[in-house]
Amino acid sequence: MISRRRLITTGLTAAAGASGLAVAARLAAQYGLIPPDHGGLYGAGETLTYAAHRLLTLHQPLAREFDRSQISRVAPVNGGPPDSDDYQRLLRRSFAEWRLEVDGLVARPSSFSLAELKRLPMRSHITHQACEEGWSFIAEWTGVPLSEILARVGLSPRARFIVLYPFDDFWDSIDLADALHPQTLVAYGMNGRELPTGHGAPVRLRVTRQLGYKSVKYLSRLTAVETLAEVGDGQGAGAVAFGYSWYAGI
Ligand SMILES: Nc1nc2c(c(=O)[nH]1)N[C@H]1C(S)=C(S)[C@@H](COP(=O)(O)O)O[C@H]1N2
Ligand SMILES: [Mo]
């Protein structure tokens, strides 16, 4: 993943040229298209990739959807269930006491039980999820579009990112282009069944236009923010410190 990303960003950077780069960076800033991990060695590349994708996809194109017959027979699990006491206690009680907290820049901070989420408008899609390690699978995901949840809590016009907090330390964030995208689900079902524990129970994010690592599992809380600068180490995701790009568009 890292090397592929590096190849693309190097290409874009080279194409932009030294003066073109400055123009591209100014353009990106003007459109608010600076990713949180814009500093450091690959920062210019990260900005170019992110800004270029976002300008090319303003019309919210959908990721490809597949037929039921194309669902993979094996769906690998990456990142097993959190071993925290909190999570294990909720799991033992089938998540009866679990609630998804939604707060930050919203008019009505709220929390939703699993039953409440299941009563909200539902959407399913059969899509491809690719891990940066090279494997992938096709599965059907069912859940509530994140946009429906955000509409219910009254997302503030100041909000620009949604921070995703799971029960492990794999926190991440997405911009509103992905948060409001029609295929972006808070998913509670997979292949016609309850979401299996290893795939992120009780609910996970499914974001169809980025690599698998952005589809945060075992969700506990969503927070709307204007800037990621004060969240964690300010780079938008815990994994950035380990070399992962914040933006992993495919
Ligand atoms: N909370 C949490 N979410 C996570 C992970 C994790 O370790 N913890 N792993 C990520 C990675 S690297 C990938 S590829 C996908 C894998 O999803 P799957 O286990 O359903 O195949 O989940 C992502 N979401
Ligand atoms: Mo992954």
Side-chain angles (χ1 to χ4, degrees):
M1 197 290 293
I2 301 297
S3 59
R4 177 178 158 272
R5 176 109 279 129
R6 199 168 292 173
L7 203 70
I8 297 169
T9 56
T10 310
L12 266 168
T13 310
S19 65
L21 189 62
V23 175
R26 219 173 325 118
L27 203 70
Q30 192 177 320
Y31 284 98
L33 293 175
I34 303 286
D37 55 348
H38 63 272
L41 197 49
Y42 300 107
E46 294 298 339
T47 300
L48 277 175
T49 306
Y50 175 59
H53 270 213
R54 281 295 173 256
L55 294 172
L56 288 169
T57 58
L58 282 176
H59 301 296
Q60 295 285 56
L62 300 183
R64 179 174 172 199
E65 297 192 14
F66 296 82
D67 295 333
R68 196 146 276 130
S69 66
Q70 293 168 291
I71 292 176
S72 304
R73 283 205 279 147
V74 178
V77 163
N78 199 12
D83 50 22
S84 75
D85 288 347
D86 275 0
Y87 182 82
Q88 290 297 329
R89 195 174 323 113
L90 291 164
L91 172 64
R92 278 197 298 276
R93 308 250 310 120
S94 306
F95 301 105
E97 281 94 38
W98 171 89
R99 297 184 77 84
L100 179 67
E101 305 286 338
V102 187
D103 56 22
L105 292 175
V106 301
R108 296 171 293 280
S110 308
S111 72
F112 300 85
S113 69
L114 200 48
E116 284 165 347
L117 289 179
K118 288 179 178 174
R119 284 198 292 272
L120 296 182
M122 180 185 101
R123 162 148 190 179
S124 294
H125 54 64
I126 300 171
T127 48
H128 184 245
Q129 179 175 276
C131 175
E132 78 293 351
E133 292 167 1
W135 49 270
S136 67
F137 63 90
I138 293 170
E140 179 174 35
W141 304 96
T142 300
V144 48
L146 177 54
S147 63
E148 295 282 354
I149 296 176
L150 297 176
R152 270 159 187 78
V153 298
L155 188 64
S156 158
R158 275 172 49 218
R160 291 188 49 224
F161 303 96
I162 306 298
V163 187
L164 312 149
Y165 293 104
F167 283 93
D168 57 14
D169 41 21
F170 206 82
W171 73 276
D172 210 313
S173 61
I174 54 175
D175 67 5
L176 289 194
D178 268 326
L180 302 178
H181 185 270
Q183 285 173 324
T184 299
L185 302 180
V186 170
Y188 47 71
M190 181 183 178
N191 294 335
R193 297 159 182 260
E194 298 278 303
L195 185 64
T197 306
H199 287 290
V203 302
R204 76 176 302 164
L205 189 78
R206 258 300 283 153
V207 48
T208 59
R209 303 179 307 168
Q210 295 203 49
L211 288 174
Y213 68 80
K214 297 296 285 192
S215 286
V216 178
K217 306 193 284 188
Y218 321 111
L219 287 176
S220 136
R221 178 177 160 219
L222 309 177
T223 303
V225 298
E226 183 172 3
T227 164
L228 294 163
E230 282 105 54
V231 181
D233 59 1
Q235 303 216 83
V240 171
F242 301 99
Y244 290 71
S245 299
W246 172 75
Y247 178 68
I250 42 181

